[in-house]
Amino acid sequence: MADLKLRNVCKSYGPVDVIKDVSIDIADGEFVVFVGPSGCGKSTLLRMIAGLEDITSGTIEIGGRVMNDLPPKDRGIAMVFQTYAIFPHMTVRENVAFGLTINKADKATKEAKVAEAARILQMEHLLDRRPSQLSGGQRQRVAIGRAIVRDPSVFLFDEPLSNLDAALRMDMRMEIGKLHADLAASMIYVTHDQVEAMTLADKIVVLRAGEVMQVGSPMELYHNPANLFVAGFLGAPSMNLMPVEVKEVAGTEATVANASLDAISVATKERPIRTGGTATLGVRPQYLTPTAPEEGMLHGTVALTERLGSETVVDVALRDGSKVIAAIGEDRVLAPGTEIGLRFDPAQAHLFDEHP
């Protein structure tokens, strides 16, 4: 296994910059997830690490060795793609052993490594089947098994679960998490699904338009987003973002309000918030508590209620015409058209000097 370092990595296609001065440290054995919307450059960055894309400038190091000019086969990496990329005319055993066969490994080595991969992925009973006899999740296990037998320094996963249905995605997500725990391997995982990012990662790298927006642990990014983009991207349902007027700034606190929000004091967190200006207040749906209209800090009318059993998601139309979502950890009936107040702890709110 090995650590990985990206230093000022850039990628351009002619005049178009798709990766912009990215620097990231990935420790040995760490599970890192690149997350962001479609087109943000996360798969391109992964392919650059793998050697499938040239870099325009910067350096990529694996285990202290610069990889810029090395071909993929010499980088000590194994990649699992979105498409399974397994051979339909081969058995599972032959597919898993394919890389070893190409490298002319002896029969005993191949058998031992294939058996170990099959044990780890619990697919010993599938070894003599062909891909046409497998489910989508089983085919993805074969692709992962082919990566395991190479004993790579770094595993790379490029949206490996996006072709699976919801139930299979959950199962395979757990399998990949268990695989990381069993192998203690360095893994980089690309996804646009922030739930996958939050549940799998030791460290999340949030990308937007080829730039790193924030790097940190899942809970660090959830509780302390660096900017408006990270705040709105991580979390389900998304963070509520409301325009507010800044009434007063005193030290590290700002008093804000709008037509639907009573005046409250919120920490500025060293952001350049100015008295008399405008800002954006962020509150996660899970922190909003319904109450009587006169007792609330936010005031509006119930527009829609989604009862999910263990949780009720309430869309609230505010007095100023905007909307917020409250996620209540219980089964409640709130009829559309009902006037409602919403309370929250200002310490759990975020104030940004940006605007959506």
Side-chain angles (χ1 to χ4, degrees):
M1 305 306 166
D3 60 352
L4 187 147
K5 295 179 181 179
L6 278 63
R7 289 289 178 268
N8 307 110
V9 171
C10 300
K11 175 68 176 178
S12 301
Y13 294 104
V16 180
D17 298 329
V18 294
I19 299 295
K20 305 169 186 175
D21 198 32
V22 170
S23 295
I24 304 167
D25 287 342
I26 298 171
D28 184 14
E30 198 167 33
F31 197 124
V32 175
V33 175
F34 294 168
V35 68
S38 297
C40 72
K42 54 190 183 294
S43 289
T44 300
L45 190 57
L46 194 76
R47 291 171 63 84
M48 291 163 71
I49 294 169
L52 301 176
E53 294 274 0
D54 294 331
I55 69 173
T56 302
S57 61
T59 59
I60 297 173
E61 294 182 14
I62 299 177
R65 186 182 179 193
V66 175
M67 296 288 160
N68 292 26
D69 299 321
L70 290 181
K73 67 183 180 66
D74 296 329
R75 295 194 177 199
I77 56 94
M79 191 162 180
V80 179
F81 296 91
Q82 180 176 348
T83 53
Y84 312 125
I86 56 179
F87 299 105
H89 64 286
M90 293 183 180
T91 64
V92 168
R93 188 188 309 276
E94 291 166 336
N95 267 288
V96 172
F98 181 74
L100 300 173
T101 302
I102 292 296
N103 290 329
K104 296 182 169 54
D106 61 75
K107 182 178 179 182
T109 298
K110 285 198 295 186
E111 289 180 352
K113 289 193 171 186
V114 169
E116 176 63 8
R119 182 194 65 78
I120 291 170
L121 295 170
Q122 299 179 18
M123 61 178 192
E124 295 102 322
H125 61 296
L126 303 176
L127 288 176
D128 295 318
R129 295 188 189 180
R130 295 191 186 276
S132 61
Q133 299 171 298
L134 305 178
S135 68
Q138 289 170 335
R139 292 179 192 182
Q140 196 58 277
R141 287 190 193 189
V142 176
I144 294 171
R146 188 170 54 197
I148 289 174
V149 298
R150 296 190 59 192
D151 293 328
S153 299
V154 182
F155 285 86
L156 307 178
F157 294 89
D158 189 7
E159 302 200 47
L161 310 185
S162 59
N163 289 336
L164 306 180
D165 62 38
L168 266 179
R169 275 204 306 272
M170 183 177 295
D171 290 342
M172 282 304 300
R173 191 166 70 225
M174 294 173 66
E175 290 286 345
I176 291 172
K178 184 176 183 297
L179 177 67
H180 177 249
D182 290 344
L183 298 180
S186 303
M187 293 185 177
I188 305 175
Y189 187 102
V190 161
T191 183
H192 63 273
D193 186 335
Q194 51 94 20
V195 174
E196 285 182 17
M198 294 290 290
T199 53
L200 284 172
D202 297 320
K203 180 191 292 179
I204 294 176
V205 179
V206 182
L207 292 162
R208 181 189 188 189
E211 296 184 77
V212 174
M213 294 288 100
Q214 190 173 359
V215 179
S217 69
M219 288 299 101
E220 180 184 346
L221 269 59
Y222 184 84
H223 291 298
N224 297 293
N227 52 50
L228 207 55
F229 177 79
V230 176
F233 190 81
L234 291 180
S238 298
M239 181 183 286
N240 296 300
L241 300 171
M242 298 167 276
V244 292
E245 298 176 9
V246 181
K247 302 296 186 182
E248 183 184 2
V249 177
T252 59
E253 299 280 324
T255 301
V256 299
N258 64 23
S260 305
L261 175 69
D262 296 341
I264 61 168
S265 182
V266 184
T268 61
K269 297 183 180 177
E270 299 184 354
R271 295 190 174 105
I273 308 297
R274 295 179 294 103
T275 300
T278 59
T280 300
L281 182 71
V283 185
R284 295 209 176 272
Q286 292 80 5
Y287 299 152
L288 292 177
T289 302
T291 186
E294 66 276 6
E295 296 176 359
M297 302 151 76
L298 277 167
H299 307 276
T301 303
V302 175
L304 177 68
T305 300
E306 298 176 272
R307 299 172 65 196
L308 306 178
S310 61
E311 182 180 69
T312 301
V313 178
V314 185
D315 285 24
V316 179
L318 299 178
R319 289 175 179 173
D320 62 1
S322 62
K323 184 188 80 168
V324 295
I325 294 175
I328 310 163
E330 57 184 286
D331 185 12
R332 290 186 60 177
V333 179
L334 293 168
T338 304
E339 288 193 21
I340 192 173
L342 294 168
R343 296 193 64 81
F344 60 92
D345 182 354
Q348 294 177 318
H350 303 271
L351 196 61
F352 301 95
D353 57 317
E354 311 162 74
H355 300 283

